[in-house]
Amino acid sequence: MSLKAMDHLEVIKLLCKDFWYGIFRKQIDKLQTNHRGVFVLKDYSFRWMHQCSCGTDVLNKVNVHVLQFPCGLLYFIAAFIRVSKYLR
């Protein structure tokens, strides 16, 4: 099946199963939509965050920077296959 024949839900599922696994060697733990129809991807055991702790402003800023790379990867792939309007 080509990407043009897939609907946006199937494309997001493909990102969660195949793309995420190809990069991080695990699937997304939870895929849901918020009340505005935007997909929310949750990975409860994201390895890059295991060394980071929450609680202080400095560490929270570090956590944001750590998450920018995987978010950028998803945006890049979504833009490449023209479904980026469903990610935020």
Side-chain angles (χ1 to χ4, degrees):
M1 178 183 292
S2 70
L3 287 177
K4 290 183 180 182
M6 299 172 78
D7 71 352
H8 63 275
L9 177 61
E10 291 173 337
V11 172
I12 297 298
K13 285 181 182 179
L14 176 80
L15 286 173
C16 293
K17 290 180 180 180
D18 296 331
F19 176 74
W20 198 263
Y21 183 82
I23 300 295
F24 300 109
R25 299 292 181 232
K26 69 176 295 298
Q27 291 183 1
I28 290 287
D29 293 318
K30 189 173 185 180
L31 170 64
Q32 63 189 54
T33 58
N34 67 8
H35 63 279
R36 295 179 297 193
V38 175
F39 288 99
V40 179
L41 289 67
K42 296 183 179 184
D43 186 345
Y44 295 118
S45 58
F46 190 60
R47 289 183 286 153
W48 294 3
M49 296 297 289
H50 282 288
Q51 301 299 321
C52 299
S53 299
C54 294
T56 65
D57 290 336
V58 173
L59 287 176
N60 287 337
K61 289 178 183 178
V62 169
N63 291 343
V64 168
H65 291 296
V66 167
L67 292 174
Q68 285 178 341
F69 179 72
C71 290
L73 286 174
L74 285 174
Y75 275 108
F76 173 76
I77 294 299
F80 182 75
I81 58 179
R82 297 189 174 110
V83 294
S84 60
K85 64 182 177 180
Y86 300 109
L87 297 176
R88 290 205 182 138

Coordinates of all heavy atoms in Angstrom, one line a residue:
M1 N 0.8 -1.2 0.0 CA 0.0 0.0 0.0 C 0.9 1.2 0.0 O 1.8 1.3 0.8 CB -0.9 0.0 1.2 CG -1.8 1.2 1.4 SD -2.8 1.2 2.9 CE -3.9 -0.1 2.6
S2 N 0.6 2.2 -0.9 CA 1.4 3.4 -0.9 C 0.9 4.4 0.2 O -0.2 4.2 0.7 CB 1.2 4.1 -2.3 OG -0.1 4.6 -2.4
L3 N 1.8 5.3 0.5 CA 1.5 6.3 1.5 C 0.3 7.2 1.0 O -0.5 7.6 1.9 CB 2.7 7.2 1.8 CG 3.8 6.5 2.6 CD1 4.9 7.5 2.8 CD2 3.3 6.1 3.9
K4 N 0.1 7.4 -0.2 CA -1.0 8.2 -0.7 C -2.3 7.5 -0.5 O -3.3 8.2 -0.3 CB -0.8 8.5 -2.2 CG 0.3 9.5 -2.5 CD 0.4 9.8 -3.9 CE 1.5 10.8 -4.2 NZ 1.6 11.2 -5.6
A5 N -2.3 6.2 -0.5 CA -3.6 5.4 -0.3 C -3.9 5.3 1.2 O -5.0 4.9 1.5 CB -3.5 4.0 -0.9
M6 N -3.0 5.6 2.1 CA -3.2 5.4 3.5 C -3.9 6.7 4.1 O -3.6 7.8 3.7 CB -1.9 5.2 4.2 CG -1.2 3.9 3.8 SD 0.5 3.8 4.5 CE 0.1 3.2 6.2
D7 N -4.7 6.5 5.1 CA -5.3 7.7 5.7 C -4.3 8.1 6.8 O -3.3 7.4 7.1 CB -6.7 7.5 6.3 CG -6.7 6.5 7.5 OD1 -5.7 5.9 7.8 OD2 -7.8 6.4 8.1
H8 N -4.5 9.3 7.4 CA -3.6 9.8 8.4 C -3.4 9.0 9.6 O -2.3 8.9 10.2 CB -3.9 11.3 8.7 CG -5.2 11.4 9.4 ND1 -6.4 11.6 8.8 CD2 -5.5 11.5 10.7 CE1 -7.4 11.7 9.6 NE2 -6.9 11.6 10.8
L9 N -4.4 8.3 10.1 CA -4.3 7.4 11.2 C -3.4 6.2 10.9 O -2.5 5.9 11.8 CB -5.7 6.9 11.6 CG -5.7 5.9 12.8 CD1 -5.1 6.5 14.1 CD2 -7.1 5.4 13.1
E10 N -3.5 5.7 9.8 CA -2.6 4.6 9.4 C -1.1 5.0 9.3 O -0.2 4.3 9.7 CB -3.0 3.9 8.1 CG -4.3 3.2 8.2 CD -4.8 2.7 6.8 OE1 -4.5 3.3 5.8 OE2 -5.6 1.8 6.8
V11 N -0.9 6.2 8.8 CA 0.4 6.8 8.7 C 1.0 7.0 10.1 O 2.2 6.7 10.4 CB 0.4 8.1 7.9 CG1 1.8 8.8 7.9 CG2 0.0 7.8 6.4
I12 N 0.2 7.6 11.0 CA 0.7 7.8 12.4 C 1.0 6.5 13.0 O 2.0 6.3 13.7 CB -0.3 8.6 13.2 CG1 -0.5 10.0 12.6 CG2 0.1 8.7 14.6 CD1 0.7 10.9 12.5
K13 N 0.2 5.5 12.8 CA 0.4 4.1 13.4 C 1.8 3.6 12.8 O 2.5 2.9 13.5 CB -0.7 3.2 13.1 CG -1.9 3.4 13.9 CD -3.0 2.4 13.6 CE -4.3 2.6 14.3 NZ -5.3 1.6 14.0
L14 N 2.0 3.8 11.5 CA 3.2 3.4 10.9 C 4.4 4.0 11.6 O 5.4 3.4 11.9 CB 3.2 3.7 9.4 CG 4.5 3.4 8.7 CD1 4.6 1.9 8.3 CD2 4.6 4.2 7.4
L15 N 4.3 5.3 11.9 CA 5.4 6.1 12.6 C 5.6 5.5 13.9 O 6.8 5.3 14.4 CB 5.0 7.5 12.7 CG 5.1 8.4 11.5 CD1 4.6 9.8 11.7 CD2 6.5 8.5 11.0
C16 N 4.5 5.1 14.6 CA 4.7 4.6 16.0 C 5.3 3.2 16.0 O 6.0 2.9 16.9 CB 3.3 4.6 16.7 SG 2.6 6.2 17.0
K17 N 4.9 2.4 15.1 CA 5.3 1.0 15.1 C 6.7 0.9 14.4 O 7.7 0.4 15.0 CB 4.3 0.1 14.4 CG 3.0 0.0 15.2 CD 2.1 -0.9 14.5 CE 0.8 -1.0 15.3 NZ -0.2 -1.9 14.6
D18 N 6.8 1.2 13.2 CA 8.0 0.9 12.4 C 9.1 2.0 12.6 O 10.3 1.7 12.9 CB 7.7 0.8 10.9 CG 6.7 -0.4 10.7 OD1 6.8 -1.4 11.5 OD2 5.9 -0.3 9.8
F19 N 8.8 3.3 12.4 CA 9.8 4.3 12.5 C 10.4 4.4 13.9 O 11.6 4.4 14.0 CB 9.2 5.6 12.0 CG 10.2 6.8 12.2 CD1 11.2 6.9 11.3 CD2 10.1 7.7 13.2 CE1 12.2 7.9 11.4 CE2 11.0 8.7 13.3 CZ 12.0 8.9 12.4
W20 N 9.5 4.5 14.9 CA 10.0 4.6 16.3 C 10.9 3.4 16.7 O 11.9 3.5 17.3 CB 8.8 4.8 17.2 CG 9.2 5.3 18.6 CD1 9.5 4.6 19.7 CD2 9.4 6.7 18.9 NE1 9.8 5.5 20.7 CE2 9.8 6.8 20.3 CE3 9.3 7.9 18.2 CZ2 10.0 8.0 20.9 CZ3 9.6 9.1 18.9 CH2 9.9 9.1 20.2
Y21 N 10.4 2.2 16.2 CA 11.2 1.0 16.5 C 12.5 1.0 15.8 O 13.5 0.6 16.4 CB 10.4 -0.3 16.1 CG 11.1 -1.5 16.5 CD1 11.0 -2.0 17.8 CD2 11.9 -2.2 15.6 CE1 11.7 -3.2 18.1 CE2 12.6 -3.3 15.9 CZ 12.5 -3.8 17.2 OH 13.2 -4.9 17.5
G22 N 12.5 1.5 14.6 CA 13.8 1.5 13.8 C 14.8 2.5 14.5 O 16.0 2.2 14.4
I23 N 14.4 3.5 15.1 CA 15.3 4.5 15.8 C 15.6 4.1 17.2 O 16.8 4.1 17.6 CB 14.6 5.9 15.8 CG1 14.4 6.4 14.3 CG2 15.5 6.9 16.5 CD1 15.6 6.6 13.5
F24 N 14.6 3.7 18.0 CA 14.8 3.5 19.4 C 14.6 2.0 19.9 O 14.7 1.8 21.1 CB 13.8 4.4 20.2 CG 13.9 5.8 19.9 CD1 13.0 6.5 19.1 CD2 15.1 6.5 20.3 CE1 13.2 7.9 18.9 CE2 15.2 7.8 20.0 CZ 14.3 8.5 19.3
R25 N 14.4 1.1 18.9 CA 14.3 -0.3 19.2 C 13.1 -0.7 20.2 O 13.2 -1.6 21.0 CB 15.6 -0.9 19.8 CG 16.8 -0.8 18.9 CD 16.6 -1.7 17.7 NE 17.7 -1.6 16.8 CZ 17.6 -1.3 15.5 NH1 16.4 -1.2 15.0 NH2 18.6 -1.3 14.7
K26 N 12.1 0.1 20.1 CA 10.8 -0.2 20.8 C 9.7 0.6 20.2 O 9.9 1.6 19.5 CB 11.0 0.1 22.3 CG 11.1 1.6 22.7 CD 11.1 1.9 24.1 CE 9.9 1.6 24.9 NZ 8.6 2.2 24.6
Q27 N 8.5 0.1 20.4 CA 7.3 0.8 19.9 C 6.9 1.8 20.9 O 7.2 1.8 22.1 CB 6.2 -0.2 19.6 CG 6.5 -1.1 18.4 CD 5.3 -2.0 18.1 OE1 4.3 -1.9 18.8 NE2 5.5 -2.8 17.1
I28 N 6.1 2.8 20.4 CA 5.4 3.8 21.3 C 4.5 3.0 22.2 O 3.8 2.1 21.8 CB 4.6 4.8 20.4 CG1 5.6 5.7 19.6 CG2 3.7 5.6 21.2 CD1 6.3 6.7 20.4
D29 N 4.4 3.4 23.5 CA 3.6 2.7 24.5 C 2.1 3.1 24.3 O 1.3 2.2 24.5 CB 4.0 3.1 25.9 CG 5.4 2.5 26.2 OD1 5.7 1.4 25.8 OD2 6.2 3.2 26.8
K30 N 1.8 4.3 23.9 CA 0.4 4.7 23.8 C 0.3 5.8 22.8 O 1.0 6.7 22.7 CB 0.0 5.3 25.2 CG -1.5 5.5 25.3 CD -1.9 5.9 26.7 CE -3.4 6.0 26.8 NZ -3.7 6.4 28.2
L31 N -0.8 5.6 22.0 CA -1.1 6.5 20.9 C -2.6 6.9 21.2 O -3.4 6.1 21.3 CB -1.0 5.9 19.5 CG -1.5 6.7 18.4 CD1 -0.8 8.0 18.2 CD2 -1.5 5.9 17.1
Q32 N -2.8 8.2 21.3 CA -4.1 8.7 21.5 C -4.2 10.1 20.8 O -3.3 10.6 20.3 CB -4.5 8.8 23.0 CG -3.6 9.8 23.8 CD -3.8 9.7 25.2 OE1 -3.7 8.6 25.8 NE2 -4.1 10.8 25.9
T33 N -5.4 10.6 20.8 CA -5.7 12.0 20.2 C -6.2 12.8 21.4 O -6.8 12.4 22.3 CB -6.7 12.0 19.1 OG1 -7.9 11.4 19.6 CG2 -6.2 11.2 17.9
N34 N -5.8 14.1 21.3 CA -6.4 15.0 22.3 C -7.7 15.5 21.8 O -8.2 15.1 20.8 CB -5.4 16.2 22.5 CG -5.2 17.1 21.3 OD1 -5.9 17.0 20.3 ND2 -4.3 18.0 21.5
H35 N -8.3 16.4 22.5 CA -9.7 16.9 22.2 C -9.8 17.7 20.9 O -10.8 17.9 20.4 CB -10.3 17.7 23.3 CG -9.5 19.0 23.6 ND1 -8.3 19.0 24.3 CD2 -9.7 20.2 23.2 CE1 -7.9 20.2 24.4 NE2 -8.7 21.0 23.8
R36 N -8.6 18.0 20.3 CA -8.6 18.8 19.0 C -8.2 17.9 17.8 O -8.0 18.4 16.7 CB -7.6 19.9 19.1 CG -8.1 21.0 20.1 CD -7.1 22.1 20.2 NE -5.8 21.5 20.7 CZ -4.8 22.3 21.1 NH1 -4.9 23.6 21.0 NH2 -3.7 21.7 21.5
G37 N -8.1 16.6 18.0 CA -7.7 15.7 17.0 C -6.3 15.6 16.7 O -5.9 15.0 15.6
V38 N -5.4 16.1 17.5 CA -4.0 16.0 17.4 C -3.5 14.8 18.1 O -3.9 14.5 19.2 CB -3.3 17.3 18.0 CG1 -1.8 17.1 17.9 CG2 -3.8 18.5 17.3
F39 N -2.6 14.0 17.4 CA -2.1 12.8 18.0 C -1.1 13.0 19.1 O -0.3 13.9 19.0 CB -1.5 11.9 16.9 CG -2.5 11.3 16.0 CD1 -2.7 11.9 14.7 CD2 -3.2 10.2 16.3 CE1 -3.6 11.3 13.9 CE2 -4.1 9.6 15.5 CZ -4.4 10.2 14.2
V40 N -1.2 12.3 20.2 CA -0.3 12.3 21.3 C 0.4 11.0 21.4 O -0.3 10.0 21.6 CB -1.0 12.7 22.6 CG1 -0.1 12.7 23.8 CG2 -1.8 14.0 22.5
L41 N 1.7 11.0 21.3 CA 2.5 9.7 21.3 C 3.2 9.7 22.7 O 3.8 10.7 23.1 CB 3.5 9.7 20.2 CG 3.1 9.5 18.8 CD1 2.3 10.7 18.3 CD2 4.2 9.2 17.9
K42 N 3.0 8.6 23.4 CA 3.6 8.4 24.7 C 4.6 7.2 24.8 O 4.2 6.1 24.4 CB 2.6 8.3 25.8 CG 1.7 9.5 25.9 CD 0.7 9.4 27.0 CE -0.2 10.7 27.0 NZ -1.1 10.6 28.2
D43 N 5.8 7.5 25.2 CA 6.8 6.4 25.4 C 7.2 6.5 26.9 O 7.9 7.4 27.3 CB 8.0 6.7 24.5 CG 9.0 5.5 24.6 OD1 8.9 4.7 25.5 OD2 9.8 5.5 23.6
Y44 N 6.7 5.6 27.7 CA 6.9 5.7 29.2 C 8.3 5.2 29.6 O 8.7 5.5 30.7 CB 5.8 4.8 29.9 CG 4.4 5.3 29.7 CD1 3.5 4.6 29.1 CD2 4.1 6.6 30.1 CE1 2.2 5.0 28.9 CE2 2.8 7.1 29.9 CZ 1.9 6.3 29.3 OH 0.6 6.8 29.1
S45 N 9.0 4.6 28.7 CA 10.4 4.1 29.1 C 11.4 4.6 28.1 O 12.2 3.9 27.6 CB 10.4 2.6 29.2 OG 10.0 2.0 28.0
F46 N 11.3 5.9 27.8 CA 12.2 6.5 26.8 C 13.6 6.5 27.4 O 13.8 7.2 28.4 CB 11.7 7.9 26.5 CG 12.4 8.5 25.3 CD1 12.4 7.9 24.1 CD2 13.1 9.7 25.5 CE1 13.1 8.5 23.0 CE2 13.8 10.3 24.4 CZ 13.8 9.7 23.2
R47 N 14.5 5.8 26.8 CA 15.8 5.5 27.4 C 16.6 6.8 27.6 O 17.4 6.9 28.5 CB 16.6 4.6 26.5 CG 16.1 3.2 26.5 CD 17.0 2.2 25.7 NE 16.7 2.5 24.3 CZ 17.5 2.3 23.3 NH1 18.7 1.9 23.6 NH2 17.2 2.5 22.1
W48 N 16.4 7.8 26.7 CA 17.2 9.0 26.8 C 16.8 9.8 28.1 O 17.6 10.7 28.5 CB 17.1 9.9 25.6 CG 17.6 9.3 24.4 CD1 18.2 8.1 24.2 CD2 17.6 9.9 23.1 NE1 18.6 7.9 22.9 CE2 18.3 9.0 22.2 CE3 17.2 11.1 22.6 CZ2 18.4 9.2 20.9 CZ3 17.4 11.4 21.3 CH2 18.0 10.5 20.4
M49 N 15.7 9.5 28.6 CA 15.2 10.3 29.8 C 15.5 9.6 31.1 O 15.3 10.2 32.2 CB 13.7 10.5 29.7 CG 13.3 11.4 28.5 SD 13.9 13.1 28.6 CE 13.0 13.7 29.9
H50 N 16.1 8.4 31.1 CA 16.3 7.7 32.3 C 17.4 8.4 33.2 O 17.3 8.3 34.4 CB 16.8 6.2 32.0 CG 15.6 5.3 31.7 ND1 14.7 4.9 32.6 CD2 15.3 4.8 30.5 CE1 13.8 4.1 32.0 NE2 14.1 4.1 30.7
Q51 N 18.3 9.1 32.6 CA 19.4 9.7 33.3 C 19.0 11.1 33.8 O 19.6 11.7 34.6 CB 20.6 9.8 32.5 CG 21.2 8.5 32.0 CD 21.6 7.6 33.2 OE1 22.1 8.1 34.2 NE2 21.3 6.3 33.1
C52 N 17.8 11.6 33.3 CA 17.4 12.9 33.7 C 16.4 12.8 34.8 O 15.5 11.9 34.8 CB 16.7 13.6 32.5 SG 17.8 13.9 31.1
S53 N 16.4 13.7 35.7 CA 15.5 13.8 36.8 C 14.6 15.0 36.7 O 15.1 16.0 36.1 CB 16.2 13.8 38.2 OG 17.0 12.7 38.3
C54 N 13.4 15.0 37.1 CA 12.6 16.1 37.1 C 12.6 16.8 38.5 O 12.9 16.2 39.5 CB 11.1 15.7 36.8 SG 11.0 15.1 35.1
G55 N 12.2 18.0 38.5 CA 12.1 18.7 39.8 C 12.7 20.1 39.9 O 12.1 20.9 40.5
T56 N 13.8 20.3 39.2 CA 14.4 21.6 39.3 C 14.2 22.3 37.9 O 14.0 21.6 36.9 CB 15.9 21.6 39.6 OG1 16.5 20.9 38.5 CG2 16.1 20.9 40.9
D57 N 14.2 23.6 37.9 CA 14.0 24.3 36.6 C 15.1 23.9 35.6 O 14.9 23.8 34.4 CB 14.0 25.8 36.8 CG 12.7 26.2 37.5 OD1 11.7 25.5 37.4 OD2 12.7 27.3 38.2
V58 N 16.4 23.8 36.1 CA 17.5 23.5 35.2 C 17.3 22.1 34.6 O 17.4 22.0 33.3 CB 18.8 23.5 36.0 CG1 20.0 23.1 35.1 CG2 19.1 25.0 36.5
L59 N 16.9 21.1 35.3 CA 16.7 19.8 34.8 C 15.5 19.7 33.9 O 15.5 19.0 32.9 CB 16.6 18.8 35.9 CG 17.9 18.4 36.7 CD1 17.6 17.5 37.9 CD2 18.9 17.9 35.8
N60 N 14.5 20.5 34.2 CA 13.3 20.5 33.3 C 13.7 21.1 31.9 O 13.3 20.7 30.9 CB 12.2 21.3 33.9 CG 11.5 20.5 35.0 OD1 11.6 19.3 35.0 ND2 10.9 21.2 35.9
K61 N 14.6 22.1 31.9 CA 15.1 22.7 30.7 C 15.9 21.7 29.9 O 15.9 21.6 28.7 CB 15.8 24.0 30.9 CG 15.0 25.1 31.4 CD 15.8 26.4 31.7 CE 14.8 27.5 32.2 NZ 15.5 28.7 32.5
V62 N 16.7 20.9 30.6 CA 17.5 19.9 30.0 C 16.6 18.8 29.4 O 16.9 18.4 28.2 CB 18.5 19.2 31.0 CG1 19.2 18.0 30.4 CG2 19.6 20.2 31.4
N63 N 15.6 18.4 30.1 CA 14.7 17.5 29.5 C 14.0 17.9 28.2 O 13.8 17.2 27.3 CB 13.6 17.1 30.6 CG 14.1 16.4 31.8 OD1 15.2 15.8 31.7 ND2 13.3 16.4 32.8
V64 N 13.7 19.2 28.2 CA 13.1 19.8 27.0 C 14.1 19.7 25.8 O 13.7 19.3 24.7 CB 12.7 21.2 27.2 CG1 12.3 21.9 25.9 CG2 11.5 21.3 28.1
H65 N 15.3 19.9 26.1 CA 16.3 19.9 25.0 C 16.6 18.4 24.6 O 16.8 18.1 23.4 CB 17.6 20.5 25.4 CG 17.6 22.0 25.6 ND1 17.3 22.8 24.5 CD2 17.7 22.8 26.6 CE1 17.3 24.1 24.9 NE2 17.5 24.1 26.2
V66 N 16.5 17.5 25.5 CA 16.7 16.1 25.2 C 15.6 15.6 24.3 O 15.8 14.8 23.3 CB 16.8 15.2 26.5 CG1 16.6 13.7 26.2 CG2 18.1 15.5 27.2
L67 N 14.4 16.1 24.5 CA 13.2 15.7 23.7 C 13.1 16.4 22.3 O 12.3 15.9 21.5 CB 11.9 15.9 24.5 CG 11.8 15.0 25.7 CD1 10.5 15.5 26.5 CD2 11.7 13.6 25.3
Q68 N 13.8 17.4 22.1 CA 13.8 18.1 20.8 C 14.2 17.2 19.7 O 13.7 17.3 18.6 CB 14.6 19.4 20.9 CG 13.9 20.5 21.7 CD 14.7 21.8 21.7 OE1 15.9 21.8 21.5 NE2 14.0 22.8 22.1
F69 N 15.2 16.4 19.9 CA 15.7 15.6 18.7 C 14.7 14.6 18.3 O 14.4 14.5 17.1 CB 17.0 14.9 19.1 CG 17.6 14.0 18.0 CD1 18.1 14.6 16.9 CD2 17.5 12.6 18.1 CE1 18.6 13.7 15.9 CE2 18.0 11.8 17.1 CZ 18.5 12.4 16.0
P70 N 14.1 13.7 19.2 CA 13.1 12.8 18.7 C 11.8 13.5 18.1 O 11.3 13.0 17.1 CB 12.7 11.9 19.9 CG 13.3 12.6 21.0 CD 14.4 13.5 20.6
C71 N 11.5 14.6 18.7 CA 10.3 15.4 18.1 C 10.7 15.9 16.7 O 9.8 15.8 15.8 CB 10.0 16.5 19.0 SG 9.2 16.0 20.6
G72 N 11.9 16.3 16.6 CA 12.3 16.8 15.2 C 12.3 15.7 14.2 O 12.0 15.9 13.1
L73 N 12.7 14.5 14.6 CA 12.7 13.4 13.7 C 11.3 13.1 13.2 O 11.0 12.8 12.1 CB 13.3 12.1 14.4 CG 14.8 12.0 14.6 CD1 15.2 10.8 15.4 CD2 15.5 12.0 13.2
L74 N 10.4 13.1 14.2 CA 9.0 12.8 13.8 C 8.4 13.9 12.9 O 7.7 13.6 11.9 CB 8.1 12.7 15.1 CG 8.2 11.4 15.9 CD1 7.5 11.5 17.2 CD2 7.8 10.2 15.1
Y75 N 8.7 15.2 13.2 CA 8.3 16.3 12.3 C 8.8 16.1 10.9 O 8.2 16.4 10.0 CB 8.6 17.6 12.9 CG 7.6 18.1 13.9 CD1 7.9 18.1 15.3 CD2 6.4 18.5 13.5 CE1 7.0 18.6 16.2 CE2 5.4 19.0 14.5 CZ 5.8 19.0 15.8 OH 4.8 19.5 16.7
F76 N 10.1 15.8 10.9 CA 10.8 15.6 9.6 C 10.1 14.5 8.7 O 9.7 14.8 7.6 CB 12.2 15.3 9.7 CG 12.9 15.0 8.4 CD1 13.2 16.0 7.5 CD2 13.2 13.7 8.1 CE1 13.9 15.7 6.3 CE2 13.8 13.4 6.9 CZ 14.2 14.4 6.0
I77 N 9.9 13.4 9.3 CA 9.3 12.3 8.6 C 7.8 12.6 8.2 O 7.4 12.4 7.1 CB 9.3 11.0 9.4 CG1 10.8 10.5 9.6 CG2 8.5 9.9 8.8 CD1 11.5 10.2 8.2
A78 N 7.1 13.2 9.2 CA 5.7 13.6 8.9 C 5.6 14.7 7.8 O 4.7 14.6 6.9 CB 5.0 14.1 10.2
A79 N 6.5 15.6 7.8 CA 6.5 16.6 6.7 C 6.9 15.9 5.4 O 6.4 16.3 4.3 CB 7.5 17.7 7.0
F80 N 7.8 15.0 5.4 CA 8.3 14.3 4.2 C 7.1 13.6 3.6 O 7.0 13.5 2.3 CB 9.4 13.4 4.5 CG 10.0 12.6 3.3 CD1 10.8 13.3 2.4 CD2 9.7 11.3 3.1 CE1 11.3 12.6 1.3 CE2 10.2 10.6 2.0 CZ 11.0 11.3 1.1
I81 N 6.3 13.0 4.4 CA 5.1 12.2 3.8 C 3.8 13.0 3.9 O 2.7 12.5 3.7 CB 4.9 10.9 4.5 CG1 4.8 11.0 6.0 CG2 6.1 9.9 4.2 CD1 4.5 9.7 6.8
R82 N 4.0 14.3 4.2 CA 2.9 15.3 4.1 C 1.7 15.0 5.1 O 0.6 15.1 4.7 CB 2.4 15.4 2.7 CG 3.4 15.9 1.8 CD 2.9 16.3 0.4 NE 3.9 16.9 -0.4 CZ 4.4 16.3 -1.4 NH1 4.1 15.1 -1.8 NH2 5.3 16.9 -2.1
V83 N 2.0 14.7 6.3 CA 1.0 14.5 7.4 C 1.4 15.3 8.6 O 0.9 15.1 9.7 CB 0.8 13.1 7.8 CG1 0.2 12.3 6.6 CG2 2.0 12.4 8.3
S84 N 2.3 16.3 8.5 CA 2.8 17.1 9.6 C 1.7 17.9 10.3 O 1.9 18.3 11.5 CB 3.9 18.0 9.2 OG 3.5 18.9 8.2
K85 N 0.6 18.2 9.6 CA -0.5 19.0 10.3 C -1.1 18.2 11.4 O -1.8 18.8 12.2 CB -1.5 19.4 9.3 CG -2.3 18.3 8.7 CD -3.3 18.8 7.6 CE -4.0 17.7 7.0 NZ -5.0 18.2 6.0
Y86 N -0.9 16.9 11.5 CA -1.5 16.1 12.6 C -0.6 16.0 13.8 O -0.9 15.4 14.8 CB -1.8 14.7 12.1 CG -2.8 14.8 11.0 CD1 -2.4 14.4 9.7 CD2 -4.1 15.1 11.2 CE1 -3.3 14.5 8.6 CE2 -5.0 15.2 10.1 CZ -4.6 14.9 8.9 OH -5.5 14.9 7.8
L87 N 0.6 16.6 13.8 CA 1.6 16.6 14.9 C 1.7 18.0 15.5 O 1.8 18.9 14.7 CB 2.9 16.0 14.5 CG 3.0 14.6 14.0 CD1 4.4 14.3 13.5 CD2 2.6 13.6 15.0
R88 N 1.9 18.0 16.8 CA 2.2 19.3 17.5 C 3.1 19.1 18.6 O 3.2 18.1 19.2 CB 0.9 20.0 18.0 CG 0.1 20.4 16.9 CD -0.8 21.6 17.3 NE -1.6 21.9 16.1 CZ -2.8 22.2 16.1 NH1 -3.5 22.2 17.3 NH2 -3.5 22.4 15.1

